[in-house]
């Protein structure tokens, strides 16, 4: 039990040491209970990011929608949000111990052995417990997979394309810098 934060990252998320260091610095200065970066939702820099600022989707699958926003809608470097889907998310230990993790099966009666929407349930638990979630847009990452599997069947090629695109964005002074 010797830890201060739990860090969650998708297995198909491209991030750098710079992203980790930035979020650690945010914690050192402001001790956010929950802070994450943001990422694309399906493998392209031209797609929305996986956060929602002022709306929390329902836990019920039949009526659920995710109105993701565009990166440029994030006005400040650090923004309080209602939903962030685990893109390199740092969760303080006291939050982990208070909230824990569940899937949406306890709400919709689906198979409890099939874990789904853990990020959404976590965000609901944060709201219920008045625990704010923040996103630092400077930690901007590429999520390789969408809802229908890998965007391109060659992960190495996608990784190289992502690095080239990220370098372009950094050199041009746009997203992720």
């Amino acid at each position: 039990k010797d830890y201060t934060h739990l860090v969650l990252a998708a297995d198909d998320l491209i991030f750098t040491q710079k992203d980790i260091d930035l979020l650690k610095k945010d914690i050192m200065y402001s001790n956010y209970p929950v802070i994450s970066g943001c990422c694309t939702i399906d493998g392209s820099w031209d797609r929305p990011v996986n956060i929602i600022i002022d709306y929390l989707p329902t836990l019920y699958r039949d009526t659920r929608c995710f109105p993701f926003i565009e990166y440029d809608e994030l006005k400040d470097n650090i923004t309080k949000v209602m939903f962030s889907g685990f893109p390199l998310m740092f969760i303080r230990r006291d939050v982990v111990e208070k909230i824990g993790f569940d899937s949406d099966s306890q709400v919709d009666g689906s198979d409890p052995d099939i874990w789904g929407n853990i990020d959404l349930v976590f965000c609901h638990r944060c709201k219920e417990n008045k625990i704010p979630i923040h996103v630092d847009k400077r930690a901007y990452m590429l999520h390789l997979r969408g809802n229908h599997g890998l965007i391109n069947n060659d992960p190495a090629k996608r990784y190289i394309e992502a690095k080239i695109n990220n370098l372009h964005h950094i050199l041009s002074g746009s997203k992720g810098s």
Side-chain angles (χ1 to χ4, degrees), residues 56 59 99 121-131:
L56 189 57
L59 290 172
I99 293 180
V121 175
F122 177 78
C123 291
H124 271 272
R125 299 297 177 258
C126 285
K127 180 181 177 187
E128 292 164 7
N129 288 279
K130 297 179 177 36
I131 298 169

Side-chain angles (χ1 to χ4, degrees), residues 27-51:
I27 292 167
M28 286 176 37
Y29 288 116
S30 298
N31 195 27
Y32 294 105
V34 180
I35 190 160
S36 72
C38 61
C39 69
T40 61
I41 60 170
D42 69 358
S44 170
W45 290 111
D46 297 324
R47 300 290 292 145
V49 293
N50 69 327
I51 60 172

Side-chain angles (χ1 to χ4, degrees), residues 49-153:
V49 293
N50 69 327
I51 60 172
I52 303 168
I53 295 175
D54 54 7
Y55 169 79
L56 189 57
T58 179
L59 290 172
Y60 297 95
R61 292 176 193 242
D62 293 344
T63 57
R64 182 182 304 155
C65 76
F66 290 85
F68 295 119
I69 66 168
E70 299 295 328
Y71 179 87
D72 295 334
E73 292 179 58
L74 293 168
K75 302 300 180 206
D76 299 318
N77 285 338
I78 299 177
T79 303
K80 184 177 174 183
V81 301
M82 295 292 290
F83 175 83
S84 176
F86 294 158
L88 196 57
M89 181 178 277
F90 285 66
I91 306 168
R92 212 170 51 203
R93 178 181 177 161
D94 62 307
V95 174
V96 172
E97 292 174 350
K98 182 174 187 172
I99 293 180
F101 295 93
D102 282 313
S103 73
D104 55 2
S105 64
Q106 83 262 1
V107 174
D108 65 14
S110 60
D111 184 348
D113 293 330
I114 299 174
W115 283 65
N117 296 295
I118 300 166
D119 51 1
L120 178 60
V121 175
F122 177 78
C123 291
H124 271 272
R125 299 297 177 258
C126 285
K127 180 181 177 187
E128 292 164 7
N129 288 279
K130 297 179 177 36
I131 298 169
I133 300 170
H134 290 86
V135 167
D136 189 327
K137 75 175 188 178
R138 297 170 296 182
Y140 182 53
M141 298 159 274
L142 184 68
H143 186 214
L144 294 179
R145 190 177 351 191
N147 290 332
H148 306 290
L150 286 174
I151 302 304
N152 183 312
N153 290 331

